[in-house]
Amino acid sequence: MASPLLANIALHGLDEALGIRRRTGRDGHSRIVGNRAWVRYADDFVVFCETKEDAEQVVEILTTWLAERGLSLAQDKTRIVHLDEGFDFLGFNVRRYRARRTSRTELVTLITPSRKTVMKVRDKLKAIWLTARHQPLSKTILMLNAVVRGWANYVRGSSCAKAFSGLDHWMYQTAMRFATKRHRNKSRRWVVARYFGECGGYRWVFRDHGTDAVLRKFSQTTVVRHVLVRGRSSPDDATLATYWEKRRKARSSGLSSNHQRLARAQGWKCPVCGEALENEEPLCIYNVKSPVPGGNDDDGSTILMHLFCHQQAHRKQSEAASGSQHA
């Protein structure tokens, strides 16, 4: 966690060095004005220019500005490309296309999941499918659903419908191969009746009829458009607490129904650190077996907390149990 924080500190002021200016509109959103724009996440950033000559000048400015701070550009990641060619950034591909019928300018820029990212999630799913023959089918479906839900929620703010459709088709083929190999002496009709059906308005859904476990489809995740942060609003501004709370609750729609239920009961706060649950940290459910912040003495009580907070609570509980044994 220290690396992104240090990167934000070290690169503060780089937009001014590049001559990038912002102006806040009537709607409260801050917009970049001028011939250059940029997008940055920690130490990864992209600078947009109108000409190749200006892009080359930007590289010179960056090289000089970073050298004064003991930093340098990563040569393997630094390159100048035209938007029509496209580029990958943080798991997404940004590219401009011709769209005469849907755009007034006959051009449209799409942000889609990159091919590398799609192949990476396929590899994760493939590894789970390979272990399916050695464990209950319901457990395999649970593991697959965790990957499907997590990745789909990460990319759902982009133009991901095509990627979702392609992955759903691949998952259907993989599930069919698995079921067919599992019952080599059965007909395809028997396999389909045993493992596939209709659920939630979707056809050809893979399921375990013994436990009613259903394999989630990528296309079940609703595609949403990212809403820009208003102006230069900061989560540290106490006067904007309500604004940030609404944004966090809106983003929580990607959580499972169980996580949402627990989050509402806790006021969308982690009972250990007191911070908002929706702050990009992984979440997990903690089964309370002894008094901890936000819980009670009853066995079976569950609370939702950050993964790191869960690890801390589990460590303290283990230390307390160990101390009572030695007493």
Side-chain angles (χ1 to χ4, degrees):
M1 295 297 292
S3 179
L5 176 61
L6 293 176
N8 283 328
I9 295 174
L11 297 179
H12 181 70
L14 183 53
D15 48 349
E16 286 84 358
L18 292 172
I20 297 175
R21 297 176 292 109
R22 295 178 180 272
R23 182 175 60 196
T24 302
R26 294 180 179 179
D27 56 359
H29 289 153
S30 177
R31 294 177 173 81
I32 295 176
V33 296
N35 299 327
R36 296 173 183 166
W38 80 325
V39 178
R40 180 167 72 88
Y41 182 83
D43 59 345
D44 291 318
F45 57 87
V46 177
V47 182
F48 296 90
C49 305
E50 292 187 351
T51 64
K52 183 178 180 181
E53 292 72 19
D54 188 39
E56 293 172 345
Q57 185 178 355
V58 165
V59 173
E60 295 179 3
I61 294 174
L62 290 171
T63 302
T64 303
W65 192 89
L66 292 173
E68 294 174 353
R69 291 157 178 78
L71 303 172
S72 61
L73 292 172
Q75 297 301 321
D76 57 329
K77 295 182 179 180
T78 304
R79 62 193 186 105
I80 299 175
V81 297
H82 197 281
L83 197 56
D84 290 347
E85 179 183 347
F87 61 90
D88 291 345
F89 182 62
L90 301 178
F92 297 92
N93 179 263
V94 184
R95 185 177 177 184
R96 188 172 66 180
Y97 298 87
R98 298 286 176 180
R100 296 182 179 179
R101 295 184 179 181
T102 59
S103 173
R104 183 178 300 177
T105 61
E106 298 186 356
L107 296 171
V108 61
T109 300
L110 296 181
I111 301 176
T112 60
S114 67
R115 177 176 175 80
K116 184 177 180 180
T117 302
V118 173
M119 296 306 297
K120 187 177 294 185
V121 73
R122 277 181 51 168
D123 289 341
K124 286 184 179 180
L125 295 168
K126 188 183 298 183
I128 297 174
W129 277 113
L130 291 176
T131 64
R133 67 183 66 180
H134 306 298
Q135 62 187 5
L137 183 57
S138 59
K139 183 178 180 180
T140 299
I141 292 177
L142 182 66
M143 295 170 63
L144 290 169
N145 284 344
V147 176
V148 171
R149 181 182 289 107
W151 187 82
N153 285 335
Y154 175 70
V155 304
R156 66 176 186 162
S158 65
S159 301
C160 53
K162 185 176 180 180
F164 283 178
S165 177
L167 284 169
D168 281 339
H169 181 65
W170 177 83
M171 283 284 277
Y172 159 74
Q173 291 180 319
T174 306
M176 181 62 76
R177 284 196 297 269
F178 164 79
T180 302
K181 289 182 179 180
R182 198 176 195 183
H183 303 279
R184 297 180 182 274
N185 297 327
K186 300 294 184 179
S187 66
R188 180 183 175 89
R189 177 176 294 182
W190 186 94
V191 170
V192 170
R194 174 69 180 271
Y195 289 98
F196 294 88
E198 185 173 345
C199 181
Y202 291 89
R203 300 177 59 190
W204 295 97
V205 176
F206 184 76
R207 63 191 308 167
D208 176 19
H209 286 282
T211 61
D212 272 344
V214 177
L215 181 60
R216 182 181 179 86
K217 288 182 176 290
F218 285 91
S219 53
Q220 286 181 250
T221 301
T222 304
V223 179
V224 296
R225 290 293 170 254
H226 174 69
V227 180
L228 295 175
V229 173
R230 185 178 60 203
R232 290 180 175 269
S233 302
S234 169
D236 299 323
D237 188 343
T239 63
L240 297 175
T242 303
Y243 168 74
W244 287 104
E245 189 70 14
K246 289 181 179 179
R247 287 184 64 93
R248 293 190 187 102
K249 289 182 179 180
R251 293 184 58 186
S252 68
S253 60
L255 299 177
S256 66
S257 58
N258 191 27
H259 281 195
Q260 289 190 45
R261 177 180 59 81
L262 292 173
R264 282 193 295 269
Q266 298 170 198
W268 305 92
K269 300 288 184 181
C270 175
V272 176
C273 65
E275 298 295 328
L277 288 169
E278 272 296 309
N279 65 351
E280 304 294 340
E281 293 186 49
L283 301 176
C284 67
I285 292 179
Y286 185 80
N287 296 312
V288 181
K289 296 182 179 179
S290 62
V292 298
N296 54 51
D297 297 332
D298 300 329
D299 289 339
S301 174
T302 57
I303 55 178
L304 185 65
M305 61 174 64
H306 299 126
L307 177 60
F308 178 75
C309 295
H310 171 269
Q311 294 170 344
Q312 295 293 97
H314 183 71
R315 179 178 61 81
K316 290 180 180 179
Q317 188 179 44
S318 299
E319 290 177 351
S322 177
S324 62
Q325 291 176 359
H326 289 85

